[in-house]
Amino acid sequence: MAAESRESLRQLIRRKLGRSKFIVVSNREPYMHVFRDGRIDWIRPASGVTVALDPVMRASRGLWVAHGSGEADPKVTDPRGFVAVPPDRPSYRLKRVWLSRRQEENYYYGFANSALWPLCHVAYRRPVFREEHWDAYREVNQLFADRVAEEVGKERAFLFIQDYHFALLPRMLRKRCPQAIIAQFWHIPWPNPEVFRICPWRQEILDGMLGNDILGFHIRYHCENFIATVDRELEARPDRELTAVVFRGHMTKIRAFPISIDFEDISRRAGSPETKRLAASIRRKYRLPENCILGLGADRIDYTKGIPERLDAIALLLERYPQYRSRLVFFQAGVPSRTQIQEYCRLAEEVEERVRAINQKYGRGAWQPIVFAREHFDLPHLLALYRMARFALVSSLHDGMNLVAKEFVAAQSDGNGVLLLSQFTGASRELLDAIIINPYSPDEVAERIRDAIEMNPIEVRRRMGRLREQVREHNIYRWASSVIKKLTKFA
Ligand code: GDG
């Protein structure tokens, strides 16, 4: 079967969406304007959501509504909040919604990331529930509902809402635009009812989400958890056969749509001379010995990603197998994230501390076993890192999908590279030829890293070949097509 492509998605969108409006809503904007050396420049923020949806928007020429968070955003945005993007080759419109500092603190850092994020991930960080956070969350959802509704008016429209920042938005939009077809994709896990019931506003959240026609999660397990939660908390009628819930006379279908990446684009770019050049410059910058065995971790610095846990496993490996001292370098690319939240600052310090201790104990002269690059890498540099690595270590304690794992696979266009992947990622349900690990067990991870390093080259290529087939076929265009096909069934 031919894999879905940008072109096949474009045709599908034209056929199915026709003249209807197609509007995506997310918190994070796909392009952010910043000041650099006194000039206005733009960047693409590091986020799985925006990386996945940008190709869809380019194909659909729709409208994207998001929080305008770049310091230079107001300078390039028209009075109604519009700007054409991508800035270098405009193909769709972005409508920026402005939030006050208080709103951002309480809605984004507060309720979304200090309550819902830990609540849904169950990574043993206690959620913080504060009334002022919740009030701001409701207020910002309402603000987005107003901004979206004024674009929809009385027209036929497909609204595609992203993520846990907008649990209340579907219900608000259903009231404002009853003719619209509304879908939401929840990019993070959904916990079981026992975990969710500690949330003081659990019923309001579920009610909000049941304003959708379709609610998507990465994997079936999260769908089942959601239905079980609704069953426990609301007077609703779950239909396990149809994987749907009927509430207030309206049916919401709950479906798994495993998200992915633009396989062909990444594969092609990763094999280019430009990537080789960047790899050489990274080697120089970080003084990586030419013949070292390079392992890679690449994540936002987030406690769900299991970064200290993976460092512990590397330390154990070096302790148990001294032959890897002076041969193995583990490169941790960690882009700082949510640094306004204390938990995240503490984590970054903890990682620094662990790296220092390991390097002190196992380093020899100029050779340091761990390189911690606490910076943002743009996609070309990230691709160079993927290509340089003999293995990638994805050790999330819990992850909706994990796109880094899929990008690593797509980048291996020469067929080499080994992926070690946590069993608690959505990706582990698809990437069966990865070495599956339990990040909570440092002993197990250390042994599996050793297996990865020692793996017979034929086996490496066989596994990577199968992984590449899987991601090639289940690419981002397939994800988008299945969401759009489901959406238009309602039209
Ligand atoms: C959430 C869920 C789910 C760009 N620069 C850097 C960097 N990037 C890009 C990567 C990748 C993305 O950021 C990270 O995506 P992940 O999926 O790995 O993780 P989250 O940001 O937590 O995304 C996740 C995703 O939404 C999509 O639904 O898969 O489960 O948590 O595309 O290329 N990444 C790093 N450094 C950079 O400098 N590490």
Side-chain angles (χ1 to χ4, degrees):
M1 197 176 78
E4 297 274 359
S5 62
R6 184 175 296 185
E7 189 45 40
S8 66
L9 176 67
R10 190 174 297 147
Q11 285 168 16
L12 177 86
I13 287 170
R14 224 169 271 150
R15 225 173 36 245
K16 297 275 190 183
L17 301 183
R19 284 179 217 284
S20 314
K21 285 203 158 144
F22 181 59
I23 303 180
V24 163
V25 188
S26 72
N27 171 71
R28 178 65 56 85
E29 51 184 349
Y31 296 90
M32 186 188 267
H33 286 87
V34 292
F35 292 113
R36 194 173 287 158
D37 306 326
R39 282 186 26 245
I40 295 177
D41 202 356
W42 55 274
I43 54 167
R44 297 186 60 175
S47 132
V49 182
T50 54
V51 168
L53 275 166
D54 190 61
V56 179
M57 291 308 286
R58 290 184 196 214
S60 70
R61 301 184 164 273
L63 172 68
W64 189 321
V65 181
H67 170 211
S69 53
E71 46 181 0
D73 279 0
K75 296 271 179 226
V76 296
T77 309
D78 80 11
R80 292 183 53 218
F82 287 105
V83 58
V85 291
D88 54 344
R89 271 174 71 187
S91 59
Y92 64 94
R93 288 185 315 155
L94 169 64
K95 178 173 179 171
R96 287 174 166 149
V97 177
W98 310 116
L99 299 182
S100 68
R101 179 162 296 190
R102 178 193 61 81
Q103 284 173 325
E104 192 181 354
E105 262 163 27
N106 290 334
Y107 136 85
Y108 180 76
Y109 294 108
F111 197 72
N113 285 311
S114 301
L116 282 177
W117 179 268
L119 181 68
C120 289
H121 277 93
V122 203
Y124 304 97
R125 291 300 199 280
R126 193 178 167 148
V128 176
F129 298 117
R130 301 266 306 275
E131 194 127 322
E132 60 194 307
H133 293 174
W134 170 248
D135 289 343
Y137 187 81
R138 238 190 353 227
E139 184 180 310
V140 171
N141 272 246
Q142 191 59 61
L143 179 64
F144 270 78
D146 296 343
R147 291 291 94 84
V148 173
E150 68 200 23
E151 294 308 314
V152 176
K154 298 264 172 284
E155 282 181 65
R156 204 173 101 111
F158 295 95
L159 310 180
F160 189 20
I161 301 166
Q162 306 305 312
D163 235 349
Y164 61 99
H165 311 91
F166 297 117
L168 306 179
L169 184 57
R171 171 74 59 207
M172 292 169 173
L173 282 170
R174 176 151 304 287
K175 284 190 189 139
R176 299 281 300 271
C177 319
Q179 81 286 9
I181 292 166
I182 308 174
Q184 181 168 34
F185 190 77
W186 196 264
H187 290 257
I188 63 176
W190 189 272
N192 66 37
E194 203 53 50
V195 167
F196 192 71
R197 80 191 179 122
I198 66 167
C199 177
W201 301 285
R202 57 197 178 278
Q203 290 176 345
E204 290 89 331
I205 289 172
L206 295 171
D207 176 36
M209 293 170 78
L210 292 173
N212 284 300
D213 293 301
I214 302 169
L215 175 59
F217 294 95
H218 292 294
I219 58 174
R220 264 189 84 92
Y221 178 57
H222 301 152
C223 300
E224 285 161 11
N225 277 346
F226 181 81
I227 294 177
T229 308
V230 169
D231 201 11
R232 165 86 158 254
E233 299 293 346
L234 297 179
E235 289 288 323
R237 193 155 50 81
D239 186 329
R240 290 203 161 76
E241 202 93 318
L242 288 175
T243 53
V245 173
V246 179
F247 183 56
R248 298 201 203 175
H250 173 77
M251 181 183 278
T252 304
K253 293 206 168 143
I254 320 293
R255 288 287 180 278
F257 298 103
I259 208 165
S260 195
I261 53 159
D262 190 340
F263 177 90
E264 294 299 341
D265 183 56
I266 290 186
S267 182
R268 186 180 43 76
R269 290 168 69 172
S272 71
E274 158 81 350
T275 302
K276 255 205 180 122
R277 198 181 56 72
L278 291 176
S281 82
I282 293 174
R283 270 191 198 283
R284 273 196 304 278
K285 176 167 175 195
Y286 291 98
R287 303 209 181 97
L288 302 172
E290 199 57 53
N291 53 357
C292 70
I293 301 166
L294 194 75
L296 175 71
D299 321 75
R300 286 184 300 101
I301 302 180
D302 191 300
Y303 52 81
T304 61
K305 303 291 181 185
I307 303 170
E309 288 76 2
R310 93 180 49 145
L311 294 174
D312 288 350
I314 304 268
L316 201 57
L317 177 84
L318 294 172
E319 183 59 40
R320 276 190 194 161
Y321 303 104
Q323 68 268 31
Y324 296 131
R325 301 184 195 165
S326 311
R327 280 182 66 208
L328 175 72
V329 175
F330 188 74
F331 193 102
Q332 176 63 49
V335 54
S337 172
R338 305 175 193 166
T339 43
Q340 279 86 334
I341 301 176
Q342 219 184 23
E343 196 68 43
Y344 284 76
C345 295
R346 262 206 295 271
L347 174 69
E349 280 164 24
E350 188 187 337
V351 173
E352 291 275 13
E353 188 47 50
R354 286 261 217 303
V355 170
R356 212 173 304 128
I358 297 173
N359 282 342
Q360 215 157 53
K361 186 157 178 203
Y362 300 104
R364 297 277 177 279
W367 179 77
Q368 301 274 285
I370 316 268
V371 175
F372 180 30
R374 198 172 162 177
E375 59 180 288
H376 177 267
F377 288 84
D378 60 10
L379 188 61
H381 284 85
L382 209 50
L383 295 183
L385 284 171
Y386 291 152
R387 275 308 274 262
M388 293 159 68
R390 175 111 148 240
F391 67 90
L393 181 47
V394 175
S395 56
S396 312
L397 305 180
H398 204 179
D399 218 325
M401 175 54 71
N402 194 289
L403 294 180
V404 165
K406 292 188 172 180
E407 289 169 0
F408 176 72
V409 167
Q412 310 307 315
S413 52
D414 63 354
N416 288 316
V418 180
L419 173 65
L420 291 115
L421 180 60
S422 159
Q423 68 188 87
F424 307 117
T425 59
S428 69
R429 312 290 167 114
E430 294 175 76
L431 303 182
L432 305 178
D433 284 284
I435 297 183
I436 302 296
I437 51 168
N438 175 356
Y440 287 97
S441 166
D443 299 80
E444 182 191 317
V445 178
E447 291 303 322
R448 297 294 82 79
I449 296 174
R450 180 163 182 257
D451 293 347
I453 298 173
E454 301 300 332
M455 194 183 279
N456 164 338
I458 297 174
E459 176 69 0
V460 169
R461 297 179 71 82
R462 191 165 38 224
R463 281 177 180 249
M464 187 45 76
R466 284 195 296 245
L467 286 170
R468 288 176 61 75
E469 270 319 301
Q470 166 68 26
V471 185
R472 172 181 285 126
E473 199 173 310
H474 298 85
N475 62 19
I476 184 62
Y477 300 108
R478 180 163 165 155
W479 175 81
S481 303
S482 40
V483 174
I484 286 165
K485 282 178 193 159
K486 222 5 9 71
L487 262 176
T488 50
K489 273 206 179 134
F490 284 83

